[in-house]
């Protein structure tokens, strides 16, 4: 049975380029806010992918596992994003939690930071997956919408729950049942990525900013408001403010959210739509308030006491980056052991202390407090019960919906 994936529209390609330039696909992790200079990302394979779009994907090769060599080959290869793993401050080539895993298990981890963008990475691995071949990777980390696509095509292996006792027990209820992988049969979250309201108290005259409505309508913020260039985050937050559920909305609901944002654009309430480059403008006060990513805000707030955040009563959007085992991976059991290891409280705490994104592991607070008391008490890293209840996910989109929605969003943002 063929699963048709239509060629990417100009709007989708523009969204991909935005992500490569300055969205979560660029250097949005810990290094960005610490670095004095920026670096260009290599977009290998991007031209070919852009020229022809993503062709139809056959499911005939789906769910093709291979003989597991984990027992005799004590190794695995793990592809991840840049700055998404704890690093020894004295030896930048050493990753303490990975080193501890190898010391305990004898399993050597070849760790590569070769994911700059979801679409670009999909372009790298798609030919092998479509042909039923080994990608050379045992474990990958991709954002929820791409994880959903890989699962839909049958290109990743179902995980063995027997190898994941800590993951099964300690996974936060907030992330247990996404619509694209009910019960987490194929994936486990590496981290959560929340979109919240952030503001510069000095720029707002000490006034709190507490809702998307305030961002869109408060005349005192006119021309100094930012929204994200990631469609799911900006539209999802707007849908919530309008009383709609991002997990269950119609085309009309989406159009109403776009119209609401367009009104704010037309009256020049919104300064611009940005990727993570909003951080410098927010720190300087050029942007007084915005929708921003929680991991960025944690780090900004640590360096600048004028930065603060608010979780709207209407709720907020959380997406996930997720661990999956591709078809034909040679070391599936080893990969599952590594997934499970990062659901133990101590390794999970060390990771959370370094990357500052939402920790998907329950029971880490005490371990994290030993490393960083501030992080342990920060609801943007360890959400409390009230915050968990306000978290919402943007529902999975059909290929047709994604094309239509990205086109409308591109028209709104002008990029």
């Amino acid at each position: 049975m063929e699963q048709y994936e239509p060629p990417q529209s100009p709007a989708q390609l523009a969204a991909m380029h935005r992500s490569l330039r300055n969205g979560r696909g660029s250097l949005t992790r810990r290094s960005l806010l610490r670095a004095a200079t920026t670096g260009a990302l290599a977009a290998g394979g991007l031209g070919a992918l852009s020229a022809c779009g993503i062709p139809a994907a056959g499911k005939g090769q789906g769910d093709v596992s291979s003989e597991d060599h984990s027992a005799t080959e004590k190794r695995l290869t793990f592809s991840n994003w840049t700055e998404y793993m704890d690093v020894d401050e004295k030896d930048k080539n050493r990753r303490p939690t990975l080193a501890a895993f190898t010391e305990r298990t004898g399993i050597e981890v070849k760790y590569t930071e070769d994911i700059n963008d979801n679409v670009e990475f999909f372009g790298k691995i798609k030919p092998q997956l479509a042909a039923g071949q080994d990608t050379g990777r045992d474990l990958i980390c991709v954002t929820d919408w791409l994880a959903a696509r890989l699962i839909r095509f049958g290109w990743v292996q179902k995980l063995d729950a027997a190898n994941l006792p800590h993951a099964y027990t300690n996974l936060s209820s907030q992330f247990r049942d996404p619509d694209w992988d009910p019960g987490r049969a194929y994936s486990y979250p590496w981290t959560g990525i929340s979109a919240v309201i952030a503001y510069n108290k000095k720029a707002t005259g000490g006034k709190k900013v507490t809702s998307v409505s305030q961002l869109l309508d408060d005349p005192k913020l006119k021309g100094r408001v930012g929204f994200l260039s990631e469609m799911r985050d900006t539209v999802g937050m707007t849908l919530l403010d309008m009383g709609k559920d991002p997990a269950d909305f119609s085309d009309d609901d989406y159009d109403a959210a776009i119209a609401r944002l367009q009104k704010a654009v037309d009256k020049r309430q919104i300064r611009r739509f940005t990727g993570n480059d909003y951080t410098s403008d927010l720190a300087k006060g050029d942007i007084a308030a915005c929708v921003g990513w929680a991991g960025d805000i944690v780090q900004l707030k640590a360096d600048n006491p004028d930065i603060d955040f608010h979780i709207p009563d209407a709720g907020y959007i959380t997406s996930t980056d997720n661990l999956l085992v591709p078809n034909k991976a040679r070391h599936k059991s080893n990969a599952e052991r590594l997934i499970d290891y990062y659901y133990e409280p101590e390794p999970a705490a060390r990771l959370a202390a370094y990357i500052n994104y939402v920790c998907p592991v329950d029971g880490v607070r005490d371990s994290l407090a030993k490393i960083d008391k501030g992080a342990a008490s920060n609801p943007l890293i360890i959400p409390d019960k009230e915050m968990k209840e306000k978290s919402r996910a943007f529902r999975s989109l059909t290929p047709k919906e994604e094309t239509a929605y990205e086109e409308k969003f591109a028209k709104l943002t002008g990029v």
Side-chain angles (χ1 to χ4, degrees), residues 350-368:
R350 291 189 177 279
L351 183 67
Y354 187 82
I355 64 176
N356 290 164
Y357 280 80
V358 181
C359 180
V361 184
D362 279 343
V364 303
R365 192 183 303 276
D366 289 345
S367 296
L368 184 55

Side-chain angles (χ1 to χ4, degrees), residues 236-268:
M237 291 289 281
T238 306
L239 284 167
L240 282 168
D241 190 73
M242 298 169 66
K244 302 296 182 180
D245 184 356
D248 183 19
F249 63 89
S250 66
D251 287 348
D252 288 343
D253 294 332
Y254 183 89
D255 289 346
I258 291 292
R260 178 111 168 81
L261 290 161
Q262 185 66 60
K263 183 179 178 181
V265 169
D266 292 343
K267 67 181 183 182
R268 299 188 179 180

Side-chain angles (χ1 to χ4, degrees), residues 56 63 69 101 122 134 190 193 202 207 214 220 265 289 292 335 383:
D63 206 22
H69 298 267
F101 173 78
F122 183 56
D134 182 8
W190 179 247
I193 303 146
K202 188 175 181 180
K207 184 177 181 179
Q214 192 175 350
K220 293 182 180 178
V265 169

Side-chain angles (χ1 to χ4, degrees), residues 63 156-161 184-187 325 327 332 336:
D63 206 22
V156 293
Q157 298 188 53
K158 191 171 184 177
L159 300 174
D160 185 350
R184 291 288 181 179
Y186 294 88
S187 69
V325 177
N327 283 350
K332 178 174 182 283
E336 290 168 336

Side-chain angles (χ1 to χ4, degrees), residues 168-306:
Y168 181 81
T169 300
N170 295 335
L171 175 61
S172 170
S173 59
Q174 181 179 352
F175 302 112
R176 279 192 178 270
D177 202 31
D179 64 353
W180 47 271
D181 186 17
R184 291 288 181 179
Y186 294 88
S187 69
Y188 270 88
W190 179 247
T191 193
I193 303 146
S194 297
V196 301
I197 291 177
Y199 58 98
N200 184 315
K201 290 181 285 188
K202 188 175 181 180
T204 64
K207 184 177 181 179
K208 293 183 178 180
V209 181
T210 61
S211 69
V212 170
S213 290
Q214 192 175 350
L215 291 176
L216 294 174
D217 298 324
D218 188 340
K220 293 182 180 178
L221 298 176
K222 184 175 181 179
R224 298 185 297 149
V225 168
F227 277 81
L228 294 168
S229 57
E230 295 286 348
M231 179 268 288
R232 288 167 176 80
D233 292 321
T234 285
V235 175
M237 291 289 281
T238 306
L239 284 167
L240 282 168
D241 190 73
M242 298 169 66
K244 302 296 182 180
D245 184 356
D248 183 19
F249 63 89
S250 66
D251 287 348
D252 288 343
D253 294 332
Y254 183 89
D255 289 346
I258 291 292
R260 178 111 168 81
L261 290 161
Q262 185 66 60
K263 183 179 178 181
V265 169
D266 292 343
K267 67 181 183 182
R268 299 188 179 180
Q269 179 78 5
I270 297 175
R271 182 184 182 93
R272 62 192 183 106
F273 294 86
T274 73
N276 68 284
D277 50 332
Y278 69 86
T279 55
S280 59
D281 284 348
L282 182 63
K284 291 185 294 185
D286 292 340
I287 286 179
C290 64
V291 173
W293 288 305
D296 293 341
I297 306 309
V298 170
Q299 295 167 40
L300 275 178
K301 187 174 171 62
D303 294 336
N304 186 340
D306 289 328

